[in-house]
Amino acid sequence: MNTVEQQLEIIKRGCDELLIEAELRDRLKSGKPLRVKAGFDPTAPDLHLGHTVLLNKLKQLQDLGHHIVFLIGDFTGMIGDPSGKNATRPPLTRDEVEQNARTYTDQVFRILDRAQTEVAFNSAWMDKLNAADMIRLAATYTVARMLERDDFHKRHKGKQPIAIHEFLYPLVQGYDSVALKADMELGGTDQKFNLLMGREVQKHFGQPPQVILTMPLLEGLDGVNKMSKSLNNHVGITEPPSEIFGKLMSVSDELMWRYIELLSFESLQKINARKRAVEQGGNPRDVKFDFAKEIVTRFHGAPAAEAAAADFEARFRRDEIPADIPEVKIAAKGDGLPLSQVLKQAGLTASTSEALRLIEQGGVKINGEKVSDKSLKLARGERCVIQVGKRKFARVSIT
Amino acid sequence: MNTVEQQLEIIKRGCDELLIEAELRDRLKSGKPLRVKAGFDPTAPDLHLGHTVLLNKLKQLQDLGHHIVFLIGDFTGMIGDPSGKNATRPPLTRDEVEQNARTYTDQVFRILDRAQTEVAFNSAWMDKLNAADMIRLAATYTVARMLERDDFHKRHKGKQPIAIHEFLYPLVQGYDSVALKADMELGGTDQKFNLLMGREVQKHFGQPPQVILTMPLLEGLDGVNKMSKSLNNHVGITEPPSEIFGKLMSVSDELMWRYIELLSFESLQKINARKRAVEQGGNPRDVKFDFAKEIVTRFHGAPAAEAAAADFEARFRRDEIPADIPEVKIAAKGDGLPLSQVLKQAGLTASTSEALRLIEQGGVKINGEKVSDKSLKLARGERCVIQVGKRKFARVSIT
């Protein structure tokens, strides 16, 4: 069993904010496993590494012996957006919720221990609440304080409509903490307001307020924007091993350390030793290589990781990719850009017609693989190493 | 049966706003009796003439053949003020609601026809609503529009807290119109926002929006403030006949016409004829006398009205009260002022000691009745005619 201070070090690693640390220390001192809540939308998920920052923290807490409640917010999901303004949020049926939950947990249990995780649905208690209960819940918070929430504040100032039910959803989330008797809730930094509200609602219901822990939002492969599928700067955890491996090898050295801090389960001591080694002239590529293997192992197992690593080496080392490949960012028109134009704009060919001829002749490779389709388009958000002939390389991002 | 235009004239008499007149005309043309809603708090009521402005309008509509729904908002009353900030609004029990309702209707049916009035309680449908329904209801309106309501706007600007449930109560009131399928809703001018919201909520639920009719707030006996029991400038409908009669005889001639407009059931033609008579030198006192009799008749019957009128005449005419009695306003200290000080400040006696002596000697009358209690205090808000000896008179208001 870890001491309180050892636990605190693990819990705080990579976190954005811990409120209130003294309260957490007291709860840990009691020796009683904490009830740790993390809430998720019941939408069909396709988890990427960004989502796993939080899941990793849950896993660490689980390994410390605490009780993890994976809460699916199906109650609000089944209401949808009743103002009808958001056509992308139709109400979900019970069947859809359950199917989504299975898809979700199938992915989540690649990280968390299925046997030791409680999966809860907030409809279990919210369906029992009547209108009067909802009114009483709404009385626990003021309009002015709700308008302090960053997104509400911006919309209100910008004269963008906020439907009144949107003020009720954070209260429902707060009430979930009451129903679960949560000792602690985890969320992204963008959830801080809602997590704090959980404290208020718990106090109102006579419960000691939960400790809140926010985790940073992971940057995508571009190193700039938050990782998201819609920006196509993500690494999906169900992607094929070689895809994950290749994508992680493509990140900048700076971003690599950030990913390692938030995604690796290596000890801080070991990571710091590697940093020192690189500072003293070690090749960061080796660190990246081991990190990519760790991540692929997590989602696909060790044999798949070994295979992906060997495949990557075979494709790239064989071609002797130089250490310093120029980084080129190219603005897409619309959704993407034809490869021939990318080649020209990256300075790899003199013209698009030269580019098309070289593709035809088999002289162009993307991530080590020969391209034969002259009409190939690179999508916005795509990052890859392009090779023309034996010598010319560029690490291209389509932005 | 009245024509549409005749009905409109009756409906519009004394009203503040009618929205939307064209819609009302269409509904009247259909010939179908309108479902007319008016909502009341389930608090223990002690009705005064101010409340009857609205009840009179309901009575007129009832006499025109429309269906009156007297709605008691017991659902919200039984929730009370869940934020606990308003200790004066504890939740009511079902028993209290029913007892209050009886007290209420006992008074209301002095004006409305009991057999033809539907008494409804909004708990009948609100108790069936669950939290999800409440959330959907909250989605029909935006925060910004709710903050346009005058009192919310002022409190928000003045940094006074508004608990979120306060945004839900007007929506509940709006939903009541849906549940009742109201064609029309009546309320005071201060209710305009809520009545309009009923239109929005009905539209959301696919119903044609109700016509709204607002009635002005009646001034109290002081002619300045809204009539209210707490300002003691009211005429309670359960007060003894002679009290009501005396109070109405005490109002200024200007206020008399206002009262007649809003409280008398005389036809406009007849009222206009009396106005012309006064303009041509008639005594407004006679008009006031007949009006006081009409009102006492309404609440206590014709014999009681005759008796009150005779009593009033006996007390005042006998003493030959001059036509022009000086009006004196005296500021109370705290709740009221001893009669002896009132006499001095009104210039009826030279000193308080003279005043006390005259009271002892039986030389002071209030509203024609001898006073013997030297320690008598006049309360803030009181209005009366004070007579000292045979000749000195003053119409006194304690402010």
Side-chain angles (χ1 to χ4, degrees), chain B residues 71-127:
Chain B
L71 175 65
I72 296 180
D74 65 330
F75 172 72
T76 46
M78 286 189 289
I79 295 176
D81 178 14
S83 64
K85 296 212 174 76
N86 192 344
T88 62
R89 270 190 71 185
L92 299 172
T93 64
R94 167 69 59 195
D95 274 358
E96 285 169 324
V97 163
E98 279 171 12
Q99 197 179 314
N100 289 343
R102 266 194 305 275
T103 317
Y104 220 140
T105 50
D106 282 349
Q107 296 175 66
V108 165
F109 291 137
R110 295 181 188 211
I111 298 176
L112 297 179
D113 181 343
R114 187 186 289 263
Q116 289 192 62
T117 305
E118 177 183 343
V119 177
F121 294 83
N122 71 346
S123 59
W125 46 88
M126 287 307 302
D127 280 352

Short mmCIF file of all heavy atoms in Angstrom, two decimals, chain B residues 71-127:
data_model
loop_
_atom_site.label_atom_id
_atom_site.label_comp_id
_atom_site.label_asym_id
_atom_site.label_seq_id
_atom_site.Cartn_x
_atom_site.Cartn_y
_atom_site.Cartn_z
N LEU B 71 -57.78 29.48 -11.34
CA LEU B 71 -56.68 28.52 -11.16
C LEU B 71 -55.87 28.84 -9.90
O LEU B 71 -55.35 29.95 -9.76
CB LEU B 71 -55.75 28.57 -12.38
CG LEU B 71 -54.50 27.70 -12.26
CD1 LEU B 71 -54.87 26.22 -12.19
CD2 LEU B 71 -53.55 27.97 -13.41
N ILE B 72 -55.76 27.87 -9.06
CA ILE B 72 -54.96 28.06 -7.84
C ILE B 72 -53.60 27.39 -8.03
O ILE B 72 -53.53 26.19 -8.31
CB ILE B 72 -55.71 27.51 -6.62
CG1 ILE B 72 -56.99 28.36 -6.44
CG2 ILE B 72 -54.84 27.55 -5.37
CD1 ILE B 72 -57.85 27.94 -5.28
N GLY B 73 -52.54 28.17 -7.92
CA GLY B 73 -51.19 27.67 -8.19
C GLY B 73 -50.62 26.94 -6.99
O GLY B 73 -49.63 27.36 -6.39
N ASP B 74 -51.25 25.82 -6.68
CA ASP B 74 -50.82 25.11 -5.47
C ASP B 74 -49.53 24.34 -5.65
O ASP B 74 -48.81 24.09 -4.70
CB ASP B 74 -51.94 24.17 -4.98
CG ASP B 74 -52.22 23.07 -5.98
OD1 ASP B 74 -52.03 23.31 -7.20
OD2 ASP B 74 -52.62 21.96 -5.57
N PHE B 75 -49.20 23.98 -6.92
CA PHE B 75 -47.97 23.20 -7.16
C PHE B 75 -46.75 23.94 -6.65
O PHE B 75 -45.95 23.42 -5.87
CB PHE B 75 -47.84 22.88 -8.64
CG PHE B 75 -46.52 22.26 -9.02
CD1 PHE B 75 -46.24 20.95 -8.67
CD2 PHE B 75 -45.56 22.99 -9.71
CE1 PHE B 75 -45.01 20.37 -9.02
CE2 PHE B 75 -44.34 22.42 -10.05
CZ PHE B 75 -44.08 21.12 -9.70
N THR B 76 -46.62 25.19 -7.09
CA THR B 76 -45.46 25.98 -6.65
C THR B 76 -45.59 26.34 -5.17
O THR B 76 -44.60 26.41 -4.46
CB THR B 76 -45.30 27.24 -7.50
OG1 THR B 76 -46.58 27.86 -7.65
CG2 THR B 76 -44.79 26.89 -8.88
N GLY B 77 -46.84 26.54 -4.71
CA GLY B 77 -47.04 26.87 -3.30
C GLY B 77 -46.55 25.75 -2.39
O GLY B 77 -46.00 26.00 -1.32
N MET B 78 -46.73 24.53 -2.85
CA MET B 78 -46.31 23.40 -2.02
C MET B 78 -44.81 23.17 -2.09
O MET B 78 -44.24 22.46 -1.27
CB MET B 78 -47.10 22.14 -2.39
CG MET B 78 -48.54 22.23 -1.87
SD MET B 78 -49.47 20.71 -2.02
CE MET B 78 -49.73 20.61 -3.78
N ILE B 79 -44.15 23.79 -3.08
CA ILE B 79 -42.67 23.74 -3.10
C ILE B 79 -42.13 24.85 -2.19
O ILE B 79 -41.13 24.68 -1.52
CB ILE B 79 -42.15 23.91 -4.54
CG1 ILE B 79 -42.59 22.73 -5.40
CG2 ILE B 79 -40.63 24.02 -4.55
CD1 ILE B 79 -42.20 22.84 -6.85
N GLY B 80 -42.81 25.98 -2.16
CA GLY B 80 -42.33 27.10 -1.35
C GLY B 80 -41.12 27.72 -1.98
O GLY B 80 -40.96 27.69 -3.21
N ASP B 81 -40.26 28.29 -1.18
CA ASP B 81 -39.02 28.84 -1.72
C ASP B 81 -37.89 27.90 -1.36
O ASP B 81 -37.34 27.96 -0.27
CB ASP B 81 -38.74 30.23 -1.15
CG ASP B 81 -37.42 30.76 -1.70
OD1 ASP B 81 -36.92 30.17 -2.69
OD2 ASP B 81 -36.88 31.73 -1.15
N PRO B 82 -37.54 26.99 -2.30
CA PRO B 82 -36.57 25.95 -1.95
C PRO B 82 -35.16 26.48 -1.71
O PRO B 82 -34.32 25.78 -1.17
CB PRO B 82 -36.61 25.00 -3.16
CG PRO B 82 -37.17 25.81 -4.28
CD PRO B 82 -38.01 26.88 -3.67
N SER B 83 -34.90 27.73 -2.12
CA SER B 83 -33.56 28.25 -1.86
C SER B 83 -33.44 28.62 -0.38
O SER B 83 -32.35 28.91 0.11
CB SER B 83 -33.25 29.45 -2.75
OG SER B 83 -34.12 30.51 -2.46
N GLY B 84 -34.56 28.63 0.34
CA GLY B 84 -34.53 28.85 1.78
C GLY B 84 -34.21 30.28 2.16
O GLY B 84 -34.01 30.60 3.32
N LYS B 85 -34.15 31.17 1.15
CA LYS B 85 -33.77 32.55 1.44
C LYS B 85 -34.97 33.36 1.90
O LYS B 85 -34.83 34.40 2.49
CB LYS B 85 -33.15 33.19 0.20
CG LYS B 85 -31.85 32.48 -0.18
CD LYS B 85 -30.84 33.39 -0.81
CE LYS B 85 -29.52 32.64 -1.01
NZ LYS B 85 -29.57 31.71 -2.17
N ASN B 86 -36.16 32.87 1.57
CA ASN B 86 -37.36 33.63 1.86
C ASN B 86 -38.16 32.88 2.94
O ASN B 86 -38.96 32.02 2.64
CB ASN B 86 -38.17 33.79 0.58
CG ASN B 86 -39.26 34.80 0.76
OD1 ASN B 86 -39.60 35.17 1.88
ND2 ASN B 86 -39.81 35.25 -0.34
N ALA B 87 -37.88 33.25 4.18
CA ALA B 87 -38.49 32.52 5.29
C ALA B 87 -39.99 32.73 5.33
O ALA B 87 -40.72 31.98 5.97
CB ALA B 87 -37.87 32.98 6.61
N THR B 88 -40.49 33.74 4.61
CA THR B 88 -41.92 34.03 4.64
C THR B 88 -42.68 33.15 3.65
O THR B 88 -43.87 33.27 3.52
CB THR B 88 -42.20 35.50 4.31
OG1 THR B 88 -41.74 35.77 2.98
CG2 THR B 88 -41.50 36.41 5.29
N ARG B 89 -41.96 32.31 2.89
CA ARG B 89 -42.66 31.42 1.96
C ARG B 89 -42.36 29.97 2.25
O ARG B 89 -41.75 29.28 1.44
CB ARG B 89 -42.28 31.74 0.51
CG ARG B 89 -43.18 32.79 -0.13
CD ARG B 89 -42.92 32.89 -1.62
NE ARG B 89 -43.37 31.74 -2.37
CZ ARG B 89 -43.16 31.57 -3.67
NH1 ARG B 89 -42.48 32.46 -4.34
NH2 ARG B 89 -43.61 30.50 -4.29
N PRO B 90 -42.79 29.48 3.42
CA PRO B 90 -42.56 28.06 3.70
C PRO B 90 -43.47 27.23 2.81
O PRO B 90 -44.52 27.72 2.38
CB PRO B 90 -42.97 27.93 5.17
CG PRO B 90 -43.99 29.01 5.37
CD PRO B 90 -43.63 30.13 4.44
N PRO B 91 -43.07 26.00 2.52
CA PRO B 91 -43.94 25.15 1.69
C PRO B 91 -45.28 24.94 2.39
O PRO B 91 -45.33 24.79 3.60
CB PRO B 91 -43.17 23.83 1.59
CG PRO B 91 -41.81 24.10 2.12
CD PRO B 91 -41.89 25.30 3.00
N LEU B 92 -46.35 24.93 1.62
CA LEU B 92 -47.67 24.69 2.18
C LEU B 92 -47.98 23.19 2.11
O LEU B 92 -47.53 22.51 1.21
CB LEU B 92 -48.73 25.44 1.37
CG LEU B 92 -48.61 26.97 1.33
CD1 LEU B 92 -49.60 27.56 0.33
CD2 LEU B 92 -48.84 27.57 2.70
N THR B 93 -48.72 22.72 3.08
CA THR B 93 -49.19 21.34 3.01
C THR B 93 -50.47 21.30 2.17
O THR B 93 -51.10 22.32 1.93
CB THR B 93 -49.51 20.79 4.42
OG1 THR B 93 -50.61 21.55 4.94
CG2 THR B 93 -48.33 20.93 5.36
N ARG B 94 -50.84 20.08 1.78
CA ARG B 94 -52.06 19.90 0.99
C ARG B 94 -53.26 20.45 1.78
O ARG B 94 -54.12 21.14 1.22
CB ARG B 94 -52.24 18.39 0.71
CG ARG B 94 -53.57 17.95 0.18
CD ARG B 94 -53.87 18.41 -1.23
NE ARG B 94 -52.87 17.93 -2.19
CZ ARG B 94 -52.72 18.40 -3.42
NH1 ARG B 94 -53.50 19.38 -3.83
NH2 ARG B 94 -51.79 17.93 -4.21
N ASP B 95 -53.29 20.19 3.10
CA ASP B 95 -54.39 20.68 3.93
C ASP B 95 -54.47 22.20 3.92
O ASP B 95 -55.55 22.78 3.79
CB ASP B 95 -54.20 20.21 5.38
CG ASP B 95 -54.80 18.83 5.60
OD1 ASP B 95 -55.38 18.29 4.62
OD2 ASP B 95 -54.67 18.29 6.71
N GLU B 96 -53.30 22.83 4.05
CA GLU B 96 -53.28 24.29 4.07
C GLU B 96 -53.77 24.86 2.74
O GLU B 96 -54.52 25.83 2.70
CB GLU B 96 -51.87 24.80 4.35
CG GLU B 96 -51.45 24.65 5.81
CD GLU B 96 -49.95 24.91 6.02
OE1 GLU B 96 -49.14 24.52 5.13
OE2 GLU B 96 -49.59 25.48 7.05
N VAL B 97 -53.31 24.22 1.65
CA VAL B 97 -53.73 24.66 0.33
C VAL B 97 -55.25 24.61 0.21
O VAL B 97 -55.90 25.55 -0.23
CB VAL B 97 -53.09 23.79 -0.78
CG1 VAL B 97 -53.83 23.96 -2.10
CG2 VAL B 97 -51.61 24.14 -0.94
N GLU B 98 -55.80 23.49 0.66
CA GLU B 98 -57.26 23.33 0.52
C GLU B 98 -58.03 24.30 1.41
O GLU B 98 -59.05 24.85 0.99
CB GLU B 98 -57.66 21.88 0.81
CG GLU B 98 -57.41 21.02 -0.42
CD GLU B 98 -57.58 19.53 -0.18
OE1 GLU B 98 -58.10 19.15 0.88
OE2 GLU B 98 -57.14 18.76 -1.07
N GLN B 99 -57.48 24.53 2.60
CA GLN B 99 -58.15 25.47 3.49
C GLN B 99 -58.08 26.89 2.92
O GLN B 99 -59.07 27.63 2.91
CB GLN B 99 -57.48 25.40 4.86
CG GLN B 99 -58.33 26.00 5.97
CD GLN B 99 -57.63 25.86 7.32
OE1 GLN B 99 -57.11 24.79 7.64
NE2 GLN B 99 -57.58 26.95 8.07
N ASN B 100 -56.90 27.26 2.42
CA ASN B 100 -56.75 28.58 1.81
C ASN B 100 -57.69 28.74 0.61
O ASN B 100 -58.27 29.80 0.40
CB ASN B 100 -55.31 28.82 1.35
CG ASN B 100 -54.36 29.01 2.52
OD1 ASN B 100 -54.80 29.29 3.64
ND2 ASN B 100 -53.07 28.87 2.28
N ALA B 101 -57.78 27.66 -0.16
CA ALA B 101 -58.63 27.72 -1.34
C ALA B 101 -60.08 27.96 -0.95
O ALA B 101 -60.79 28.73 -1.60
CB ALA B 101 -58.51 26.42 -2.14
N ARG B 102 -60.51 27.32 0.13
CA ARG B 102 -61.89 27.53 0.59
C ARG B 102 -62.10 28.99 1.00
O ARG B 102 -63.09 29.62 0.63
CB ARG B 102 -62.23 26.59 1.75
CG ARG B 102 -62.91 25.29 1.30
CD ARG B 102 -63.53 24.55 2.48
NE ARG B 102 -62.53 24.29 3.53
CZ ARG B 102 -61.71 23.24 3.53
NH1 ARG B 102 -61.78 22.34 2.57
NH2 ARG B 102 -60.85 23.08 4.50
N THR B 103 -61.14 29.51 1.81
CA THR B 103 -61.24 30.92 2.22
C THR B 103 -61.31 31.81 1.00
O THR B 103 -62.06 32.79 0.94
CB THR B 103 -59.98 31.31 3.04
OG1 THR B 103 -59.67 30.27 3.93
CG2 THR B 103 -60.19 32.61 3.77
N TYR B 104 -60.50 31.47 0.02
CA TYR B 104 -60.40 32.25 -1.21
C TYR B 104 -61.73 32.24 -1.95
O TYR B 104 -62.32 33.27 -2.26
CB TYR B 104 -59.33 31.65 -2.11
CG TYR B 104 -58.46 32.66 -2.80
CD1 TYR B 104 -57.09 32.44 -2.93
CD2 TYR B 104 -58.99 33.82 -3.35
CE1 TYR B 104 -56.28 33.36 -3.56
CE2 TYR B 104 -58.18 34.74 -3.99
CZ TYR B 104 -56.82 34.50 -4.09
OH TYR B 104 -56.03 35.40 -4.72
N THR B 105 -62.21 31.01 -2.23
CA THR B 105 -63.41 30.92 -3.07
C THR B 105 -64.63 31.48 -2.33
O THR B 105 -65.51 32.07 -2.96
CB THR B 105 -63.65 29.47 -3.52
OG1 THR B 105 -63.58 28.62 -2.37
CG2 THR B 105 -62.61 29.05 -4.53
N ASP B 106 -64.66 31.34 -1.00
CA ASP B 106 -65.78 31.93 -0.26
C ASP B 106 -65.88 33.43 -0.55
O ASP B 106 -66.97 33.99 -0.63
CB ASP B 106 -65.60 31.73 1.25
CG ASP B 106 -65.98 30.32 1.68
OD1 ASP B 106 -66.57 29.60 0.85
OD2 ASP B 106 -65.67 29.94 2.82
N GLN B 107 -64.73 34.06 -0.70
CA GLN B 107 -64.73 35.50 -0.99
C GLN B 107 -65.00 35.76 -2.47
O GLN B 107 -65.75 36.66 -2.83
CB GLN B 107 -63.38 36.11 -0.57
CG GLN B 107 -63.12 36.04 0.93
CD GLN B 107 -61.73 36.53 1.28
OE1 GLN B 107 -61.42 37.70 1.12
NE2 GLN B 107 -60.88 35.63 1.73
N VAL B 108 -64.36 34.95 -3.30
CA VAL B 108 -64.46 35.15 -4.74
C VAL B 108 -65.89 34.98 -5.24
O VAL B 108 -66.34 35.70 -6.13
CB VAL B 108 -63.51 34.17 -5.46
CG1 VAL B 108 -63.84 34.07 -6.94
CG2 VAL B 108 -62.06 34.59 -5.25
N PHE B 109 -66.61 34.06 -4.62
CA PHE B 109 -67.97 33.79 -5.09
C PHE B 109 -68.98 34.82 -4.58
O PHE B 109 -70.17 34.68 -4.78
CB PHE B 109 -68.38 32.35 -4.76
CG PHE B 109 -67.61 31.35 -5.59
CD1 PHE B 109 -67.10 30.19 -5.03
CD2 PHE B 109 -67.36 31.59 -6.94
CE1 PHE B 109 -66.36 29.28 -5.79
CE2 PHE B 109 -66.64 30.68 -7.70
CZ PHE B 109 -66.13 29.53 -7.13
N ARG B 110 -68.48 35.86 -3.95
CA ARG B 110 -69.33 37.03 -3.73
C ARG B 110 -69.42 37.83 -5.04
O ARG B 110 -70.26 38.71 -5.19
CB ARG B 110 -68.76 37.93 -2.64
CG ARG B 110 -68.74 37.23 -1.26
CD ARG B 110 -68.19 38.15 -0.20
NE ARG B 110 -68.00 37.42 1.05
CZ ARG B 110 -68.10 37.98 2.25
NH1 ARG B 110 -68.39 39.28 2.35
NH2 ARG B 110 -67.90 37.28 3.33
N ILE B 111 -68.50 37.52 -5.96
CA ILE B 111 -68.52 38.21 -7.26
C ILE B 111 -68.85 37.24 -8.38
O ILE B 111 -69.77 37.46 -9.15
CB ILE B 111 -67.14 38.88 -7.52
CG1 ILE B 111 -66.87 39.93 -6.44
CG2 ILE B 111 -67.11 39.50 -8.92
CD1 ILE B 111 -65.52 40.58 -6.53
N LEU B 112 -68.10 36.14 -8.46
CA LEU B 112 -68.34 35.18 -9.54
C LEU B 112 -69.48 34.23 -9.17
O LEU B 112 -69.77 34.02 -7.99
CB LEU B 112 -67.07 34.35 -9.80
CG LEU B 112 -65.86 35.13 -10.29
CD1 LEU B 112 -64.68 34.18 -10.49
CD2 LEU B 112 -66.17 35.86 -11.60
N ASP B 113 -70.06 33.66 -10.20
CA ASP B 113 -71.14 32.70 -10.01
C ASP B 113 -70.51 31.33 -9.71
O ASP B 113 -69.84 30.74 -10.56
CB ASP B 113 -71.97 32.64 -11.30
CG ASP B 113 -73.13 31.66 -11.18
OD1 ASP B 113 -73.12 30.80 -10.27
OD2 ASP B 113 -74.05 31.77 -12.00
N ARG B 114 -70.74 30.87 -8.50
CA ARG B 114 -70.09 29.63 -8.06
C ARG B 114 -70.39 28.46 -8.99
O ARG B 114 -69.51 27.66 -9.33
CB ARG B 114 -70.56 29.29 -6.64
CG ARG B 114 -69.83 28.12 -5.98
CD ARG B 114 -70.45 27.75 -4.62
NE ARG B 114 -70.19 28.75 -3.59
CZ ARG B 114 -69.19 28.63 -2.68
NH1 ARG B 114 -68.40 27.60 -2.72
NH2 ARG B 114 -69.02 29.56 -1.78
N ALA B 115 -71.65 28.37 -9.43
CA ALA B 115 -72.07 27.22 -10.22
C ALA B 115 -71.42 27.22 -11.61
O ALA B 115 -71.27 26.18 -12.24
CB ALA B 115 -73.58 27.21 -10.36
N GLN B 116 -71.03 28.41 -12.07
CA GLN B 116 -70.51 28.49 -13.43
C GLN B 116 -69.00 28.68 -13.49
O GLN B 116 -68.45 28.99 -14.55
CB GLN B 116 -71.18 29.65 -14.17
CG GLN B 116 -72.63 29.39 -14.50
CD GLN B 116 -73.13 30.43 -15.47
OE1 GLN B 116 -72.62 30.54 -16.59
NE2 GLN B 116 -74.08 31.21 -15.04
N THR B 117 -68.32 28.55 -12.35
CA THR B 117 -66.88 28.79 -12.33
C THR B 117 -66.15 27.47 -12.08
O THR B 117 -66.53 26.72 -11.19
CB THR B 117 -66.51 29.77 -11.20
OG1 THR B 117 -67.27 30.97 -11.38
CG2 THR B 117 -65.03 30.11 -11.23
N GLU B 118 -65.13 27.23 -12.89
CA GLU B 118 -64.31 26.02 -12.67
C GLU B 118 -63.14 26.40 -11.76
O GLU B 118 -62.40 27.34 -12.08
CB GLU B 118 -63.79 25.53 -14.03
CG GLU B 118 -62.87 24.32 -13.92
CD GLU B 118 -62.32 23.89 -15.28
OE1 GLU B 118 -62.88 24.31 -16.32
OE2 GLU B 118 -61.31 23.16 -15.30
N VAL B 119 -62.99 25.71 -10.67
CA VAL B 119 -61.84 25.94 -9.80
C VAL B 119 -60.82 24.83 -10.08
O VAL B 119 -61.15 23.65 -9.99
CB VAL B 119 -62.22 25.94 -8.31
CG1 VAL B 119 -60.99 26.10 -7.43
CG2 VAL B 119 -63.24 27.04 -8.02
N ALA B 120 -59.63 25.22 -10.49
CA ALA B 120 -58.61 24.22 -10.84
C ALA B 120 -57.36 24.41 -9.99
O ALA B 120 -57.08 25.52 -9.51
CB ALA B 120 -58.26 24.33 -12.32
N PHE B 121 -56.64 23.33 -9.78
CA PHE B 121 -55.37 23.36 -9.05
C PHE B 121 -54.29 22.88 -10.00
O PHE B 121 -54.44 21.81 -10.59
CB PHE B 121 -55.45 22.44 -7.83
CG PHE B 121 -56.43 22.90 -6.79
CD1 PHE B 121 -57.78 22.61 -6.90
CD2 PHE B 121 -55.99 23.64 -5.69
CE1 PHE B 121 -58.69 23.05 -5.94
CE2 PHE B 121 -56.90 24.07 -4.73
CZ PHE B 121 -58.24 23.78 -4.86
N ASN B 122 -53.21 23.64 -10.14
CA ASN B 122 -52.24 23.21 -11.16
C ASN B 122 -51.43 21.99 -10.75
O ASN B 122 -50.77 21.38 -11.57
CB ASN B 122 -51.35 24.37 -11.64
CG ASN B 122 -50.35 24.84 -10.62
OD1 ASN B 122 -50.45 24.50 -9.43
ND2 ASN B 122 -49.39 25.63 -11.05
N SER B 123 -51.50 21.60 -9.47
CA SER B 123 -50.83 20.35 -9.09
C SER B 123 -51.43 19.17 -9.86
O SER B 123 -50.77 18.15 -10.03
CB SER B 123 -50.95 20.11 -7.58
OG SER B 123 -52.32 20.03 -7.20
N ALA B 124 -52.66 19.32 -10.33
CA ALA B 124 -53.34 18.22 -11.03
C ALA B 124 -52.51 17.74 -12.21
O ALA B 124 -52.45 16.55 -12.50
CB ALA B 124 -54.73 18.65 -11.49
N TRP B 125 -51.85 18.68 -12.93
CA TRP B 125 -51.01 18.24 -14.05
C TRP B 125 -49.52 18.35 -13.72
O TRP B 125 -48.72 17.58 -14.21
CB TRP B 125 -51.34 19.02 -15.33
CG TRP B 125 -51.47 20.50 -15.17
CD1 TRP B 125 -50.46 21.42 -15.25
CD2 TRP B 125 -52.66 21.24 -14.89
NE1 TRP B 125 -50.95 22.68 -15.04
CE2 TRP B 125 -52.30 22.61 -14.81
CE3 TRP B 125 -53.99 20.89 -14.69
CZ2 TRP B 125 -53.23 23.62 -14.55
CZ3 TRP B 125 -54.91 21.90 -14.43
CH2 TRP B 125 -54.54 23.24 -14.35
N MET B 126 -49.17 19.31 -12.86
CA MET B 126 -47.74 19.49 -12.58
C MET B 126 -47.16 18.33 -11.77
O MET B 126 -46.00 17.99 -11.93
CB MET B 126 -47.50 20.81 -11.85
CG MET B 126 -47.64 22.06 -12.71
SD MET B 126 -46.63 22.04 -14.23
CE MET B 126 -44.98 21.83 -13.55
N ASP B 127 -47.97 17.73 -10.90
CA ASP B 127 -47.48 16.59 -10.12
C ASP B 127 -47.14 15.41 -11.02
O ASP B 127 -46.39 14.52 -10.64
CB ASP B 127 -48.53 16.15 -9.08
CG ASP B 127 -48.50 17.05 -7.84
OD1 ASP B 127 -47.58 17.89 -7.74
OD2 ASP B 127 -49.39 16.92 -6.99
#
